């Protein structure tokens, strides 16, 4: 195999590139064969055209072709180098270094806007298969891009979840769910004082905003025949709530059975002294 580099008439890309010789390929438009090119080991170009088509042929038919014509043909059917999209296109077709011949073999010279493409020696595919193969590069590239986005998003969610576990703070409605997950994940382990304190702090706002529980009814004493006994505190609270008003100062009556004390009599006399 011989390799030749072109340094002249390479308008699209001024850098030389390699083409292996001998080389045989066809130029087609859709499924219509337009021309066949053969490059010998000596670098001599031979070609033949299809006279039964009205399709425009991309190389001259009025003169013999040279290697420079083939270089120019290849470079006009691939994406250019040193553009903002070059690296993206190279990654899409699995190319590490910008090599025009390698690119033309991967892309088959397909460009948006027309149906021209190259079929190389030993290939039997038609335009439909060639077009689907070309589209697969773009579809696979898009799928990889989506997968990378999903992986990055999943990684961010894992980091956020880990951060929430370390410092469970958030808006109302989210905290109980996080706390439930914490409890669920740690259900088989004994929670430390720090974990309990962190959990209580995270639930503080929710507990403060919760509606107050209705007051419990006053404790009623059990029946005399009941088996349960009231505590001393419950009895004291019951007595305090049901304390009777003070009785009026007793006055003496002629028929009363109770006797007034000497102090009470003296006070009554003093109040009624003429």
């Amino acid at each position: 195999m011989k390799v030749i580099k072109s340094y002249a008439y390479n308008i699209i890309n001024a850098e030389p590139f390699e083409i292996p010789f001998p080389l045989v390929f066809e130029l087609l438009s859709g499924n219509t064969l337009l021309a066949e090119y053969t490059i010998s080991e000596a670098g001599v170009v031979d070609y033949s055209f299809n006279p039964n088509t009205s399709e425009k042929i991309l190389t001259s038919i009025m003169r013999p072709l040279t290697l420079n014509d083939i270089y120019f043909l290849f470079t006009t059917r691939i994406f250019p180098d040193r553009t903002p999209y070059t690296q993206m296109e190279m990654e899409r077709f699995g190319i590490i270094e910008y090599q025009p011949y390698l690119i033309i073999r991967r892309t088959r010279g397909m460009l948006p806007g027309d149906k021209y493409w190259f079929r190389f020696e030993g290939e039997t595919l038609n335009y439909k298969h060639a077009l689907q193969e070309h589209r697969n590069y773009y579809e696979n590239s898009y799928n990889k891009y989506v997968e990378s986005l999903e992986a990055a998003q999943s990684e961010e969610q894992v980091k956020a979840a880990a951060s929430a576990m370390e410092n469970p703070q958030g808006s109302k409605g989210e905290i109980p769910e996080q706390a439930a997950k914490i409890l669920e994940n740690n259900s088989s382990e004994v929670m430390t004082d720090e974990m309990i304190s962190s959990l209580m702090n995270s639930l503080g706002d929710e507990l403060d905003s919760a509606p107050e529980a209705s007051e419990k009814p006053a404790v009623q004493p059990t029946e005399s025949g009941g088996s349960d006994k009231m505590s001393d505190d419950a009895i004291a609270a019951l007595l305090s709530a049901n304390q009777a008003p003070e009785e009026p100062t007793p006055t003496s009556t002629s028929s009363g059975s109770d006797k007034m004390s000497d102090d009470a009599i003296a006070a009554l006399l003093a109040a009624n002294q003429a």
Side-chain angles (χ1 to χ4, degrees), residues 27-72:
L27 172 65
L28 300 94
S29 175
N31 287 320
T32 303
L33 178 64
L34 302 181
E36 182 178 1
Y37 304 88
T38 302
I39 305 175
S40 67
E41 292 185 1
V44 178
V45 179
D46 187 17
Y47 59 93
S48 60
F49 302 107
N50 181 5
N52 299 321
T53 179
S54 59
E55 293 276 356
K56 181 180 179 180
I57 298 174
L58 300 181
T59 55
S60 175
I61 60 174
M62 304 301 295
R63 60 174 177 81
L65 300 181
T66 66
L67 281 177
N68 288 326
D69 295 313
I70 303 301
Y71 278 105
F72 179 78

Side-chain angles (χ1 to χ4, degrees), residues 75-95:
T75 53
T76 57
R77 301 299 301 178
I78 61 174
F79 55 85
D81 193 10
R82 299 184 180 91
T83 72
Y85 309 100
T86 301
Q87 186 62 34
M88 179 181 65
E89 290 293 313
M90 290 172 57
E91 292 177 356
R92 176 170 289 151
F93 290 97
I95 300 172

